Amino acid sequence: MAGRIFENPHQVHQYLTNECGYQCSDGKVRKAIAARKIRSRRGGGFSQAEVDQYGHSNLEKKITVASPQDSIPVGGDGLAPEAKTKAEAKLKQVQAERAQFLLDKERGKFIPTTVMEAELGQRAKAFKLGLEKFAPDNAVKVAEIFGGSESAARELCTRLNADPEEGIPLVIDFTHSRIEHFTRMWRKQMVHFLDSYATGTWWTEEMQQAWEKMLEAEENKDAA
């Protein structure tokens, strides 16, 4: 079986955590993709086999069953007064930070990563479709430039000192016979061209720093 194809990092993260039971963050998956620990397919997206290999080699399963001996009290009389005070202060700090975050989000200061990812994905799809259409829509015009039209074929025959009456049909037929070759070449080159627009490859220093900061925050959250 060829397995499934995941279109974006979010789908990879959902598969690893929800279906495979691995413990990792969305940011850790994106960082692995940027470092090519999870390599994308030539045709785009990520294969299930590639994702499974990464999870098996780099991630740990979530702990689902705990023994009574491993249980640690998190509140009430199980904590010493000093520890309890620190825990309550930490909880209040987290609650305050969350309240501030929700307020900032309502004011439009934050946009969910999934929303941005979906928007970029739709733009990339439209861009890809536009590039794919260029070759079949313009192949004849390109051929005409290089001898596929009567005027261009006549000019070529004149420069080669060939008989225009005999040469023009031959030049036109030969040039148009290369249209399919041009279309195939264009599609192959397009794949390499689009690689530079992949998520995680940023063109400005500000975006690169912001992306790395987000990944660092995700890593710290995992370690906490």
Side-chain angles (χ1 to χ4, degrees):
M1 295 179 59
R4 293 153 59 186
I5 302 299
F6 304 102
E7 296 182 1
N8 52 56
H10 178 67
Q11 290 183 0
V12 173
H13 174 254
Q14 292 296 307
Y15 170 72
L16 288 171
T17 55
N18 296 341
E19 298 186 37
C20 299
Y22 288 114
Q23 182 175 354
C24 68
S25 66
D26 188 85
K28 187 170 185 177
V29 170
R30 295 173 187 276
K31 189 173 183 179
I33 293 173
R36 296 188 63 79
K37 292 181 180 179
I38 304 176
R39 295 168 297 181
S40 60
R41 299 170 60 252
R42 292 182 64 86
F46 310 91
S47 68
Q48 182 177 350
E50 179 73 15
V51 174
D52 286 338
Q53 177 62 34
Y54 168 76
H56 179 73
S57 303
N58 298 275
L59 302 178
E60 295 181 357
K61 294 284 187 176
K62 296 178 181 178
I63 299 175
T64 56
V65 179
S67 64
Q69 292 80 2
D70 292 334
S71 300
I72 300 177
V74 294
D77 296 335
L79 290 177
E82 182 179 354
K84 184 177 180 180
T85 300
K86 290 183 178 180
E88 291 175 346
K90 179 66 175 179
L91 177 60
K92 290 181 180 179
Q93 179 183 354
V94 171
Q95 290 174 338
E97 290 176 352
R98 177 172 176 78
Q100 183 63 49
F101 170 76
L102 293 176
L103 178 60
D104 290 338
K105 183 179 179 181
E106 291 178 358
R107 292 175 175 175
K109 187 175 181 180
F110 297 105
I111 299 177
T113 304
T114 53
V115 174
M116 183 187 74
E117 186 73 31
E119 172 67 18
L120 292 176
Q122 290 300 316
R123 292 191 183 193
K125 184 182 295 184
F127 190 30
K128 181 174 181 291
L129 291 175
L131 287 175
E132 286 179 343
K133 282 174 56 64
F134 175 84
D137 289 351
N138 295 277
V140 174
K141 296 178 182 178
V142 173
E144 290 176 350
I145 295 175
F146 297 99
S149 65
E150 182 176 351
S151 59
R154 184 179 300 278
E155 180 181 352
L156 180 59
C157 289
T158 300
R159 295 196 178 194
L160 295 175
N161 294 321
D163 181 7
E165 297 306 319
E166 295 183 2
I168 288 177
L170 295 175
V171 171
I172 291 177
D173 288 345
F174 175 78
T175 306
H176 281 261
S177 72
R178 314 308 290 175
I179 288 178
E180 183 60 30
H181 294 277
F182 170 75
T183 302
R184 288 199 300 267
M185 181 202 70
W186 176 264
R187 287 172 178 168
K188 290 180 180 179
Q189 292 298 321
M190 185 187 66
V191 173
H192 298 294
F193 175 75
L194 291 176
D195 282 345
S196 61
Y197 292 90
T199 302
T201 303
W202 307 111
W203 291 15
T204 64
E205 183 178 351
E206 292 79 8
M207 186 61 199
Q208 182 66 38
Q209 291 175 350
W211 183 259
E212 291 176 354
K213 187 175 182 180
M214 185 197 74
L215 294 179
E216 182 182 354
E218 291 287 349
E219 288 292 329
N220 291 338
K221 183 176 68 175
D222 289 343

